């Protein structure tokens, strides 16, 4: 059988050479595919633009060849004519059966495979040798992002059966390039060292190498340049400019040198501040939010904050889409700026619907009952922000966002989407904690803070330490009533043995139970009412203090207490975990009442005041005062005394070691503490980021602290022995970390004011939750 041939090879000839068709145009009666090994013939028929019954000529054949070649499946495509049968002859590209890597340590193979997939190379895909160079460049690019500038890649392609290939990338990573030097040239108003401190990138060799960021990144350098620019713009240098940024790498590709040349310009001040536009709220209300005045240094950050504050104030009156633009009029001769805030309130809008999204387990009502922005009412940004905080405080969600969307077909309505991301609220845990008081503590707990999606909380906790053993259970319904009154039940059994502590020796076994109610009286204020009962059995030893023996002799080894409590709490902090602003305070009174054995009152007050200093920095001033006093001829139970010393009260002094001390039979003072009925503590603490950790880490904070405190008062069977103690003061540094193994607290410091006989500890720590 003779065959008329039209053959065009894939490549340049296939695309550009004129086609010489060996036969006159004809009608295709059949199509045959040859040369297929892996690819199904149906793939060719699917892409082939010629069908049986079509009349073909040289142009149609040329288009068919180009179309099949463009699929990327074939190295070569030819079309032959056997009488009236069209024969498509293909030479398939091999398929990639395997991609392997060797020598890679910085990146795992999975990440490298993802990078190669983006440039078209992946297992089971068609192999194109021209893509290998792109693949090698992509691998090198990944290593460049981590400062491996000397990384090299060698590729080996191994043919396999059934027209397949295996590709191996042999990677030589080399050494990481470290930033050897960063220079900022042209700085006059500020010291170069001060400006370098603003940057995330750092020179290698600092004392905190573990945390430093000494690897070059173009993106990070651009971010650092913007940090420096913002620094100048916030201090009046409105013409600041980075004239050049140069990055050079040594020939061995191990060291990076960075040089920035800046032009500071002159410092400008404000000559006037005006409000213009449609002031739909009283101007005096808006003026209160303008925290700058004539003569102040121009600050871009302050101006942006004021623009946002003005827009937020308008949104509180329903102007959800208010826009405030600050327009500076610069006088270069006088080095002054006349500033005008143009106010465009837009339309006043109402909230149409509030939609709760993302709550797969939690009931809608758990979210909705925290909202103080209601449907069919004026939009109020302040109420939305407060609602967001209230939802976050439930502890049931790891993220809460609120979005406003215009209602289609209206100009004065919006829908609010409250999107929540549920966190795991059920916990079953067992572990080991350690404190310098209880030593090693075995503990376990099972808790659920969102029981069956209702927002109710329940828990059972067991702990076993050398000083205390506890079995406790609790249940809380935060919305016992629709008005937000909460109700809590507590049951506990606690055994204490003070033998291994700094306290005079005794042991108690206490069974207790109680109920508490929380009554909200405003957005930030709550009144708590409670009633509790406890029964305590006391064990006294030969070496116990005489005061303890006297108490047991008068009141017996077993005592019962019925106590009523009332407390007021106010919380305006921006976070309950890592606050930086706001105030928390609590005032409480507990009264042990007849007809039970013990009668006493306990009055406590606590306050914390947080003030933001700068980004990542906050100052906390706190104070605590407590007083317990017997009445009706009774004595204060010694196991109800206050103690001081250690983490949580007065750092740099040994746990519970301060206050009145036990005297031996000869009247000599021992090292054991009796505690006291009056206690006062005060702390000033500056929180700041961990050195070297530039990015905010909510789980870890450092601080510099000064603790001061005093413990005194009368106690015993007849309140007959009174003791007083002078003020002690300690100072140092602290680290708190919510680690994967549990809460961790470290403090290191020295006493500033102490007395002879005081037991001090420079390093104090606690790992895990100790009950």
């Amino acid at each position: 059988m003779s065959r008329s041939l039209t053959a065009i090879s894939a490549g340049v000839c296939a695309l550009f050479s004129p086609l010489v068709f060996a036969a006159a145009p004809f009608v295709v009666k059949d199509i045959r595919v040859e040369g297929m090994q892996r690819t199904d013939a149906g793939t060719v028929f699917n892409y082939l633009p010629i069908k049986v019954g079509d009349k073909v000529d040289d142009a149609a054949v040329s288009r068919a060849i180009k179309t099949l070649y463009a699929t990327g499946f074939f190295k070569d495509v030819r079309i032959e004519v056997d009488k009236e049968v069209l024969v498509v002859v293909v030479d398939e590209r091999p398929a990639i059966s395997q991609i392997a890597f060797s020598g890679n340590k910085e990146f795992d193979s999975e990440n490298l495979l993802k990078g190669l997939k983006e440039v078209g190379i992946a297992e089971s895909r068609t192999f194109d040798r021209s893509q290998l160079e792109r693949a090698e460049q992509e691998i090198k690019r990944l290593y460049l992002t981590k400062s491996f500038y000397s990384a090299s890649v060698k590729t080996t392609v191994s043919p396999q059966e059934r027209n397949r290939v295996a590709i191996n990338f042999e990677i030589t990573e080399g050494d990481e390039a470290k930033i050897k030097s960063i220079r900022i040239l042209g700085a006059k108003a500020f010291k170069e060292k001060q400006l370098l401190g603003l940057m995330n990138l750092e020179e290698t060799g600092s004392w905190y190498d573990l945390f430093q960021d000494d690897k070059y990144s173009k993106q990070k350098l651009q971010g650092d340049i913007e940090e420096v620019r913002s620094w100048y713009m916030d201090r009046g240098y409105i013409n600041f400019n980075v004239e050049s940024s140069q990055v050079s790498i040594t020939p061995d590709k191990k060291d990076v040198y960075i040089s920035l040349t800046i032009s500071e310009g002159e410092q400008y001040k404000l000559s006037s501040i005006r409000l213009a536009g449609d002031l739909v709220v009283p101007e005096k209300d808006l003026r209160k939010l303008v925290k700058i005045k004539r003569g102040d240094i121009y600050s871009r950050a302050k101006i942006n904050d004021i623009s946002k504050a003005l827009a937020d104030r308008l949104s509180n009156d329903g102007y959800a889409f208010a826009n405030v633009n600050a327009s500076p009029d610069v006088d270069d001769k006088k080095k002054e700026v006349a500033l005008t805030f143009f106010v465009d309130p837009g339309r006043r809008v109402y909230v149409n619907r509030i939609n709760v999204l993302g709550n797969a387990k939690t009931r809608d009502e758990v979210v909705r009952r925290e909202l103080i922005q209601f449907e069919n009412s004026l939009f109020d940004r302040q109420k939305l922000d407060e609602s967001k905080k209230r939802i976050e405080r439930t502890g049931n969600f790891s993220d809460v966002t609120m979005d406003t969307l215009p209602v289609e077909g209206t100009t004065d309505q919006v829908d609010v989407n409250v999107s929540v991301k549920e966190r795991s609220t059920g916990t079953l845990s067992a572990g080991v904690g350690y404190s310098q008081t209880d030593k090693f503590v075995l503990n376990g707990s099972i808790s659920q803070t969102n029981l069956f999606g209702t927002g109710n909380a329940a828990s059972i906790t067991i702990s076993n330490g050398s000083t205390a053993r506890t079995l406790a259970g609790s249940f809380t319904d935060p919305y016992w009533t629709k008005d937000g009154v909460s109700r809590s039940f507590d049951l506990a059994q606690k055994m204490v043995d003070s033998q291994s502590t700094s306290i005079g020796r005794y042991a108690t076994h206490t069974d207790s139970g109680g109920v508490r109610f929380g009554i909200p009286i405003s957005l930030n204020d709550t009144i708590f009412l409670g009633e509790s009962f406890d029964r305590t059995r006391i064990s006294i030893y030969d070496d116990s203090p005489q005061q303890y023996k006297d108490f047991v002799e008068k009141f017996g080894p077993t005592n019962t207490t019925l106590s009523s409590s009332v407390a007021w709490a106010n919380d305006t902090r921006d976070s309950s975990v890592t606050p930086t602003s706001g105030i928390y305070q609590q005032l409480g009174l507990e009264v042990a009442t007849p007809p039970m054995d013990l009668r006493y009152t306990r009055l406590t007050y606590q306050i914390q005041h947080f003030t933001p200093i700068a980004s990542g920095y906050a100052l906390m001033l706190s104070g605590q005062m407590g007083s317990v006093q017997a009445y009706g001829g009774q004595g204060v139970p010694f196991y109800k005394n206050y103690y001081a010393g250690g983490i949580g009260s007065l750092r740099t002094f040994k746990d519970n070691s301060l206050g009145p001390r036990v005297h031996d039979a000869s009247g000599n003072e021992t090292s054991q503490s009796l505690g006291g009925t009056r206690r006062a503590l005060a702390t000033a603490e500056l929180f700041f980021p961990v050195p070297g950790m530039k990015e905010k880490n909510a789980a870890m904070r450092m601080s510099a602290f000064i603790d001061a405190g005093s413990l005194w008062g009368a106690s015993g069977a007849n309140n007959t022995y009174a003791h007083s103690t002078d003020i002690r003061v300690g100072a140092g540094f602290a680290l708190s970390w919510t680690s994967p193994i549990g809460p961790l607290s470290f403090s290191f410091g020295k006493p500033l004011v102490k007395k002879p006989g005081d037991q001090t500890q420079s390093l104090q720590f606690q790992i895990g939750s100790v009950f």
Side-chain angles (χ1 to χ4, degrees), residues 112-172:
L112 292 175
L113 286 172
K114 288 180 180 178
L116 292 183
K117 192 172 184 179
E118 293 179 0
V119 298
I121 292 186
E123 293 179 358
S124 300
R125 287 190 179 181
T126 302
F127 173 67
D128 186 345
R129 186 171 293 275
S130 65
Q131 292 179 319
L132 285 182
E133 184 176 353
R134 293 177 59 193
E136 293 175 357
Q137 293 302 319
E138 174 62 18
I139 294 174
K140 290 180 181 180
R141 186 192 67 79
L142 290 173
Y143 275 91
L144 286 176
T145 63
K146 291 200 173 184
S147 296
F148 285 85
Y149 290 95
S150 59
S152 60
V153 183
K154 181 180 179 182
T155 307
T156 303
V157 180
S158 303
Q160 295 184 324
E161 60 181 5
R162 294 174 53 214
N163 197 24
R164 298 180 302 161
V165 296
I167 305 175
N168 181 72
F169 295 95
E170 183 181 346
I171 301 171
T172 303

Side-chain angles (χ1 to χ4, degrees), residues 521-590:
I521 58 176
S522 74
L523 288 177
N524 300 311
D525 297 271
T526 305
I527 296 294
F528 294 94
L529 302 175
E531 195 76 20
S532 64
F533 172 87
D534 70 69
R535 181 180 180 86
T536 301
R537 297 190 296 275
I538 310 169
S539 297
I540 298 297
Y541 305 93
D542 291 340
D543 58 346
S544 296
Q546 185 61 44
Q547 294 91 333
Y548 296 180
K549 296 176 181 178
D550 292 343
F551 183 88
V552 172
E553 182 178 350
K554 182 173 181 179
F555 297 104
T558 301
N559 292 288
T560 56
T561 304
L562 178 66
S563 59
S564 302
S565 63
V566 59
W568 161 76
N570 171 268
D571 191 355
T572 62
R573 295 173 299 173
D574 59 347
S575 169
S576 59
V577 181
T578 54
T580 58
S581 65
I583 298 174
Y584 174 81
Q585 52 185 331
Q586 185 176 48
L587 176 65
L589 174 65
E590 177 189 356

Side-chain angles (χ1 to χ4, degrees), residues 71-134:
T71 64
F73 298 147
F74 312 109
K75 290 190 295 184
D76 192 21
V77 179
R78 303 194 313 276
I79 291 183
E80 303 173 350
V81 179
D82 185 4
K83 296 183 178 178
E84 295 177 327
V85 176
L86 198 71
V87 182
V88 181
V89 183
V90 297
D91 185 5
E92 287 182 302
R93 295 185 188 274
I96 301 173
S97 63
Q98 181 183 4
I99 299 177
F101 304 92
S102 60
N104 54 307
K105 299 177 182 178
E106 188 66 24
F107 292 96
D108 58 34
S109 297
E110 183 177 351
N111 287 329
L112 292 175
L113 286 172
K114 288 180 180 178
L116 292 183
K117 192 172 184 179
E118 293 179 0
V119 298
I121 292 186
E123 293 179 358
S124 300
R125 287 190 179 181
T126 302
F127 173 67
D128 186 345
R129 186 171 293 275
S130 65
Q131 292 179 319
L132 285 182
E133 184 176 353
R134 293 177 59 193

Side-chain angles (χ1 to χ4, degrees), residues 316-546:
N316 293 344
D317 280 14
Y319 298 96
F321 303 109
N323 188 27
V324 178
N325 292 315
S327 176
D329 184 8
V330 180
D331 187 336
D332 289 323
K333 291 183 178 180
K334 295 183 179 180
K335 304 299 185 259
E336 292 181 340
V337 178
L339 190 64
T340 302
F341 290 96
F342 288 98
V343 178
D344 178 14
R347 288 183 177 272
R348 209 174 193 191
V349 299
Y350 294 81
V351 174
N352 177 47
R353 291 185 59 84
I354 298 178
N355 305 307
V356 179
L357 308 173
N359 55 321
K361 299 178 181 178
T362 308
R363 299 178 185 177
D364 274 15
E365 65 183 47
V366 175
V367 177
R368 290 188 178 276
R369 66 194 183 189
E370 302 298 335
L371 298 173
I372 59 174
Q373 168 73 72
F374 302 112
E375 294 176 344
N376 301 318
S377 64
L378 272 175
F379 177 90
D380 190 326
R381 173 63 64 184
Q382 187 174 6
K383 288 183 178 180
L384 273 184
D385 292 342
E386 186 62 34
S387 297
K388 181 176 183 292
K389 291 181 182 179
R390 288 169 60 88
I391 296 171
E392 289 173 336
R393 286 174 190 162
T394 65
N396 298 325
F397 310 103
S398 60
D399 187 43
V400 180
T401 58
M402 292 192 172
D403 301 310
T404 56
L405 304 173
V407 176
E408 188 175 353
T410 70
T411 59
D412 62 350
Q413 294 184 40
V414 294
D415 287 337
V416 177
N417 288 344
V418 182
S419 301
V420 298
K421 184 178 181 181
E422 293 178 316
R423 72 175 185 87
S424 178
T425 55
T427 303
L428 175 63
S429 64
V432 178
Y434 184 89
S435 75
Q436 290 169 313
T437 299
D438 281 323
K439 307 306 178 184
F440 284 100
V441 180
L442 300 176
N443 58 65
S445 68
I446 179 170
S447 66
Q448 174 57 260
T449 59
N450 189 14
L451 195 62
F452 308 121
T454 63
N456 297 337
S459 68
I460 298 175
T461 302
I462 302 173
S463 69
N464 186 4
S466 61
T467 300
R469 288 179 292 171
T470 303
L471 171 63
S474 68
F475 175 82
T476 299
D477 182 352
Y479 275 82
W480 182 52
T481 70
K482 293 183 178 180
D483 296 328
V485 176
S486 65
R487 181 178 65 175
S488 300
F489 296 100
D490 300 287
L491 291 174
Q493 182 182 86
K494 186 172 184 179
M495 290 168 281
V496 175
D497 187 343
S498 66
Q499 183 177 8
S500 61
T501 71
S502 301
I503 304 171
R505 189 181 180 193
Y506 72 92
T508 58
H509 182 123
T510 302
D511 298 309
S512 63
V515 60
R516 291 173 288 113
F517 298 91
I519 305 171
I521 58 176
S522 74
L523 288 177
N524 300 311
D525 297 271
T526 305
I527 296 294
F528 294 94
L529 302 175
E531 195 76 20
S532 64
F533 172 87
D534 70 69
R535 181 180 180 86
T536 301
R537 297 190 296 275
I538 310 169
S539 297
I540 298 297
Y541 305 93
D542 291 340
D543 58 346
S544 296
Q546 185 61 44

